[in-house]
Every structure is written in structure tokens, then in C-alpha cells.
Amino acid sequence: MQSANKSVFVAYFLWLVGGLFGLHHLYLRRDLQAFLTASTLGGYFGVGWLRDLVRIPEYVSDCNEDKDYLEKLTTRFKEHAKPPFSSIRFMSMVLVSYIWSCIFWMAIPEDEVGGINFRPLIYLTPIPCALGVWAVGNVGRERGAIWWPLGIAFATTPVLWFWDDGTWFTAMTFCSSFGFDTLAKQWRKTYPKKRSLRSRILVLSFCTLLYCGLFTSYLYFNGKITDSDGEEIKFQDAVHHFFTSPWWLDLKQSLVDTWTFAQHHGWAEVWKQIIDLSDPHGEINAHKVLGVSQTATQSEITAKWRALSREFHPDKVKDELERNKAQERFMEIQQAYEVLSKMRSKRTAKNKKSIDL
């Protein structure tokens, strides 16, 4: 029997900081449930994550093979030859299989790629549908083979020939889930054997890459973005044009210049320049507000400040709306002058101190 080494406190902490990605399930070696949680944004947009708030103590007892918990399970096994119907689990099977089917469908390129038409792959959509049903059906102390839901999902394919894909998806996911719940599910009477960390990481990494690959395929081949004129542009075209845009070319050149500068002067100098360019004192913006150069003298700054203050003084404006705008501009001018005067005073004091020394 496995030693009781899993903590409820740690499980709740992981639920809080990374529960939407299934970290608490990974901690309790419930890898399949962790992937389901992450792939559906926290268990169907956070619903599963909230439900785990009351289920974590049970999960920990199950993982630790707590004696009292096992006695309750044994009693339940004797009372029910197979797991009873659960509306929550059934709807979870329907929702997950629907999501996975949609992602697979959307990932198939709508246009030919390299002269190859990939649209016939839509007839393989029952596979991700059955995988979704099987994955939810094999969480915790319930299990079942994939063959029944897979066969039933393929049997619903003719629906696509007579109705739209939405009707097919609904029929496929409900029928496949019902088939698993009725014909395939059984009790899992022993907790899954402990697998090596390396094996767990490899399996989860493969599933994650496959899932992300489907999303990437959808974005690249079928995704569209809308411009400011409301015109749709294919995502792959937008990506290609982005890398030839002036904005990207300027940014790329800036990065190259930064790297070259760092090679000659060191990264410490680069960091100093970054701090200066971020305008921490607001001095650059103050020059811009007053409309004076950074080499302007204090007398020039004062003259400009007085001229702008007279021009934008709120008392000179009668219209209430325009007065409010003038008030904002007036306050901005005063703040800019205060910033520059303060910085000039600091520099004067610093230079005087250096001369005295």
C-alpha cells in the first residue's frame, strides 16, 4: 500500500495558484484529469476548477489510499455492479468531446496546401470525439475502453450528409457519451500504478504539443483577423505582411543596434540607456509638453511656460466644455514646468557640490 504522503494543504495551494492548469491534479498523479482541466480552460472555463474546491480532500484520500476511504469505496463497489449514472460526468463527456471535435475540425485547412486537399480528414472527427468521451470516462475510480464510443461516433457520420456539421457534432457527442456510459464504463478498483516522472512528462508533453499543434494549424491555415475597415484578412497573410512591415523592420533594426552597442559597451550601459529612455522623472515628456528642446535654458523654459499659461488659462474660455479642456491642458503645463524646474535645481546643486569638493 502506498504511503500517505500527499498533503491537503499543498493540494489546495496548487489549486489556488495553478488550478486552472491542473497543477493540483498533477501533484496527486491524476495526469489525465490535469490535461482535461488545462485543455478546457480550467474545466470548461473554470467550472471544474471551482468544483474541485470541495473534491480535493477526497482526491487526496484516494491518492493516499486512506483506509476509511477505501472501506467506503468497497461498500460502493458491492452496492453497484457498475458506476451509477452521473449527470455531471455525462455532461462533461459531451462538452469535452464537443470541444475536441471542434478543434480538430477547425484545424483542417480549408484550402489546398501544396496541391493536397485535406478536407476529407473531417471524416476522422469521430476520433477526437471518442477520445474526449474516453478521457472524461476514465477519470478517478471509473474506467472503460474507447471502442464503444469510437464505433458509435463513426456510426453517426451519415448525419453529416443530410444535415449541417453542428447537428452532426451534437448527435455524435451525445450518442458517443451515452454509449460509453451504458456499455463501456466499469469500476477502477485499484489506484493507477505509479509511473516514473520521465514517463509522465513525456506523455503530457506529447499531448500538449498535439493539442497546441491543432490550434496552430487552425490559426495559420483558417484563422482570420479583422482590420480597422472591417475587412477580414487570412492570418497567414497577416503574419507574412507583419514581417515586412515598417514597424517590425524598425524594431528589428533597434534590436540589432542594441546588440551591437552591448558588444562594445556592455549590458550595464544598455540598461542605463533603457532606464533613461523610459523617462522615469518625466523630463522628456515635460519638454514635449512645453514645446522646448532638451538643451533649452531655464530662461527659455520659463518664457515658454508663461506664454502657454496665458494661452490656455481657463478663465479666458467661456464655453464650459472648452474650459474643461483648457483646464486639463493648463494643469499639464504647470506640472511640466514643475518637473523641469525641479530637475534643473537638482543638477545645479549637484554641480555646485562637485565644484566645492
Side-chain angles (χ1 to χ4, degrees):
M1 182 174 290
Q2 181 178 311
S3 60
N5 58 347
K6 299 299 181 183
S7 165
V8 173
F9 173 79
V10 173
Y12 269 117
F13 175 76
L14 294 174
W15 171 86
L16 181 64
V17 300
L20 294 176
F21 302 100
L23 288 186
H24 56 301
H25 292 308
L26 290 176
Y27 171 67
L28 298 172
R29 296 194 293 111
R30 302 169 74 94
D31 295 353
L32 181 58
Q33 194 167 356
F35 180 74
L36 283 167
T37 300
S39 67
T40 55
L41 302 177
Y44 206 71
F45 304 101
V47 175
W49 175 73
L50 289 174
R51 185 170 179 264
D52 286 343
L53 180 62
V54 297
R55 299 296 300 274
I56 284 178
E58 178 184 329
Y59 294 158
V60 174
S61 297
D62 193 11
C63 181
N64 291 335
E65 296 187 343
D66 179 75
K67 184 178 179 181
D68 294 336
Y69 180 77
L70 291 180
E71 288 178 357
K72 292 179 182 178
L73 273 180
T74 302
T75 302
R76 198 176 183 199
F77 293 159
K78 292 179 180 178
E79 292 176 349
H80 304 281
K82 59 181 293 187
F85 176 79
S86 168
S87 57
I88 294 177
R89 187 180 287 256
F90 182 81
M91 288 308 301
S92 297
M93 286 192 289
V94 171
L95 292 172
V96 170
S97 60
Y98 197 97
I99 291 173
W100 288 11
S101 299
C102 287
I103 292 172
F104 179 81
W105 177 286
M106 293 188 302
I108 300 173
E110 295 175 353
D111 303 323
E112 290 188 356
V113 179
I116 302 175
N117 179 18
F118 288 93
R119 293 310 292 172
L121 290 177
I122 63 175
Y123 293 106
L124 296 181
T125 305
I127 295 177
C129 171
L131 283 172
V133 171
W134 174 87
V136 176
N138 278 262
V139 166
R141 286 290 179 165
E142 297 186 18
R143 65 182 181 88
I146 196 176
W147 308 116
W148 276 111
L150 182 61
I152 293 173
F154 271 109
T156 63
T157 303
V159 174
L160 182 61
W161 304 340
F162 302 100
W163 289 282
D164 57 88
D165 54 299
T167 304
W168 178 41
F169 275 36
T170 302
M172 178 172 57
T173 53
F174 269 94
C175 292
S176 183
S177 300
F178 182 77
F180 182 91
D181 191 83
T182 306
L183 303 170
K185 73 176 182 180
Q186 305 173 33
W187 287 115
R188 189 190 304 276
K189 296 187 176 181
T190 58
Y191 201 79
K193 293 182 180 180
K194 187 174 182 179
R195 295 183 292 117
S196 67
L197 180 61
R198 178 184 178 185
S199 173
R200 294 174 63 194
I201 291 176
L202 286 174
V203 172
L204 284 171
S205 298
F206 173 77
C207 294
T208 302
L209 288 173
L210 179 61
Y211 199 72
C212 292
L214 291 174
F215 270 110
T216 303
S217 177
Y218 159 68
L219 286 175
Y220 187 76
F221 293 111
N222 302 329
K224 294 180 177 64
I225 61 174
T226 305
D227 64 11
S228 57
D229 297 325
E231 183 180 350
E232 288 189 340
I233 306 168
K234 294 193 70 172
F235 185 80
Q236 58 176 305
D237 293 336
V239 170
H240 172 73
H241 295 146
F242 168 77
F243 286 110
T244 58
S245 66
W247 184 88
W248 168 253
L249 294 176
D250 290 343
L251 175 61
K252 181 180 177 182
Q253 187 58 49
S254 296
L255 294 174
V256 171
D257 292 342
T258 301
W259 174 259
T260 304
F261 182 85
Q263 299 305 304
H264 291 86
H265 302 90
W267 288 102
E269 286 298 320
V270 173
W271 178 248
K272 288 180 181 179
Q273 285 203 352
I274 291 174
I275 295 297
D276 291 340
L277 291 174
S278 66
D279 196 19
H281 299 291
E283 192 174 4
I284 297 175
N285 182 62
H287 281 100
K288 183 179 178 182
V289 169
L290 294 180
V292 295
S293 67
Q294 296 189 28
T295 59
T297 63
Q298 183 62 41
S299 58
E300 291 174 334
I301 293 173
T302 302
K304 188 68 172 180
W305 162 68
R306 287 174 178 168
L308 291 173
S309 296
R310 286 192 298 268
E311 180 181 352
F312 291 97
H313 200 287
D315 294 343
K316 297 177 62 177
V317 183
K318 295 182 179 181
D319 183 74
E320 185 176 352
L321 182 59
E322 293 298 325
R323 187 186 300 118
N324 290 334
K325 292 182 179 179
Q327 176 70 25
E328 292 178 4
R329 177 67 171 147
F330 182 79
M331 293 302 299
E332 188 180 22
I333 292 167
Q334 307 312 309
Q335 290 172 0
Y337 180 71
E338 184 180 347
V339 167
L340 292 182
S341 298
K342 185 178 179 181
M343 293 303 299
R344 292 297 175 99
S345 298
K346 281 186 177 181
R347 289 196 180 96
T348 301
K350 187 177 180 180
N351 292 336
K352 184 178 180 181
K353 187 177 180 180
S354 300
I355 293 172
D356 293 340
L357 293 176

